[in-house]
Amino acid sequence: LVLFDPMESKFLDHLVAHIMAESVTSRGHDSGIRLPFRVVAMRAVAIDAHGGLEQIRLRTDWPEPTAGPGQAVVTVKACGLNYLDIFVLQGMPGLPVTMPRIPGGDIAGVVHSVGSGVGRGWVGRRVLIDPHIKPGGALGEHANGGLCERIAIEAENLIHMPDAVTFEQAAALPIAYGTAYRMMITRG
């Protein structure tokens, strides 16, 4: 389990600097052009294709999600990575995964906005996201995960977090805890 805070991670800052340095080298230099409008994009770590670590890259142009009907957009504060993410990276026979894919199924954060049909009382709430998605599958595998700044998710996947639980603690629960529980209780 690896926990990642996309907003404060020094690792991400170093990764951005590395990618930007490569970009500047390939383009020559920064043109200094500043657009008079806000481009609605966010940072996200994405897997471009099945393979090794060379297939993972930081994207700074990933479209920022908006809440559709029955959905909420959550600002990610912590995201746990699990072995599932390695399966997605390396590929599993018989399990097609659409690429690029944002990994990370264990997500905790704060509700940023909600779509129609979702109570406005959710906005500003600290939440854990249930990674199980319908009709069947998991975030980070069958849909984009939380290794990004924001994620749109069905409101039924939101779980209110008590103030005493940190984002990191919550993001260590769903897939990691479920796997450990199944190993100890179901399998013995």
Side-chain angles (χ1 to χ4, degrees), residues 59-89:
R59 302 272 305 260
T60 57
D61 61 345
W62 200 273
E64 190 168 311
T66 56
Q71 292 185 325
V73 171
V74 175
T75 300
V76 177
K77 296 294 185 177
C79 178
L81 298 177
N82 299 280
Y83 211 76
L84 170 71
D85 300 296
I86 294 172
F87 292 150
V88 172
L89 174 62

Side-chain angles (χ1 to χ4, degrees), residues 115-134:
S116 63
V118 181
R120 299 260 327 132
W122 279 103
V123 176
R125 276 196 184 169
R126 297 162 29 92
V127 295
L128 169 65
I129 298 175
D130 178 353
H132 176 74
I133 56 174
K134 292 181 179 177

Side-chain angles (χ1 to χ4, degrees), residues 82-167:
N82 299 280
Y83 211 76
L84 170 71
D85 300 296
I86 294 172
F87 292 150
V88 172
L89 174 62
Q90 294 177 346
M92 290 179 55
L95 181 64
V97 176
T98 304
M99 298 293 184
R101 172 71 68 220
I102 299 173
D106 292 342
I107 307 160
V110 176
V111 177
H112 174 264
S113 60
V114 296
S116 63
V118 181
R120 299 260 327 132
W122 279 103
V123 176
R125 276 196 184 169
R126 297 162 29 92
V127 295
L128 169 65
I129 298 175
D130 178 353
H132 176 74
I133 56 174
K134 292 181 179 177
L139 291 172
E141 182 179 30
H142 297 93
N144 285 323
L147 210 52
C148 55
E149 293 178 303
R150 291 196 175 131
I151 184 171
I153 188 70
E154 297 300 317
E156 65 187 19
N157 288 63
L158 300 176
I159 302 167
H160 178 72
M161 282 175 42
D163 290 338
V165 177
T166 68
F167 293 113

Side-chain angles (χ1 to χ4, degrees), residues 19-53:
I19 291 171
M20 291 306 290
E22 284 185 9
S23 176
V24 168
T25 301
S26 66
R27 286 190 331 239
H29 70 284
D30 179 8
S31 67
I33 297 172
R34 301 295 176 251
L35 300 175
F37 54 87
R38 180 173 180 259
V39 176
V40 184
M42 65 176 182
R43 296 184 300 174
V45 175
I47 300 170
D48 287 330
H50 295 303
L53 294 176

